[in-house]
Amino acid sequence: MVAVLAASLAPFALRNLSQEPGRFFLSLLMCAAAFAGFMWLVRRPKSELPATWAQSMLGAMAVFALFLLVYGVVPHEWLTWADSKLGLREDKILLDTKPIKFSGRALRDIVASTIYIVFLGMNTVMWIMWQKRGTAKPKAAPAATKPEPAGTSAFSRPVTKKD
């Protein structure tokens, strides 16, 4: 049983993650894990105490690492994979009509630009979510029936009926 499992997982060995498509998909997986961690933090209730210096520095370091991953590693790995294994070069023409020549390099650059645009949109949404966390107003409890005032006291305060 173990031999069958090992043989079926052989194409997915860790050494394959060090090659072009593996590194790209691994960096996307790391981004997904970071976004899941962010969503977990956003769902937590906001603390009443202000953030400490250490918490702020840890948060800044995590955001910096995520920016490096999203805007540096992921596009770089796509461009490396597209240039080497996929062969999306200038001389590879994907669409050849009279007015337009669409090369592999154009497709490569369009995908890289799309990666930046999608991550910028996600970045903006995450900023908004972080700023609005903990601001949801609690739902009001159903109003209890108030006793009707029976008049006023000698001190001009409402008096309730006693049953």
Side-chain angles (χ1 to χ4, degrees), residues 8 16-18 20 40 48 54 67 79-80 82 90-91 95-96 107 114 117 133-135 161:
S8 66
N16 291 336
L17 293 177
S18 66
E20 272 87 25
W40 178 74
E48 296 293 324
F67 279 3
L79 292 172
T80 303
E90 189 66 39
D91 60 342
L95 178 66
D96 191 11
L107 176 64
T114 304
I117 291 167
R133 78 188 192 292
T135 58
K161 293 181 189 177

Side-chain angles (χ1 to χ4, degrees), residues 77-132:
E77 291 302 331
W78 161 253
L79 292 172
T80 303
W81 182 35
D83 283 341
S84 62
K85 298 274 184 174
L86 296 179
L88 297 177
R89 298 179 310 273
E90 189 66 39
D91 60 342
K92 185 174 186 177
I93 305 298
L94 301 176
L95 178 66
D96 191 11
T97 62
K98 273 201 177 221
I100 298 173
K101 274 190 173 181
F102 192 73
S103 67
R105 177 151 299 167
L107 176 64
R108 179 196 79 151
D109 293 343
I110 288 170
V111 172
S113 299
T114 304
I115 289 171
Y116 282 117
I117 291 167
V118 166
F119 281 140
L120 182 63
M122 289 175 66
N123 193 357
T124 306
V125 168
M126 289 168 60
W127 282 331
I128 292 169
M129 289 172 66
W130 186 257
Q131 291 298 321
K132 289 185 177 182

Side-chain angles (χ1 to χ4, degrees), residues 33-43 66 125-127 129-130:
F35 293 146
F38 172 79
M39 293 306 291
W40 178 74
L41 285 173
V42 166
R43 300 274 188 263
L66 185 60
V125 168
M126 289 168 60
W127 282 331
M129 289 172 66
W130 186 257

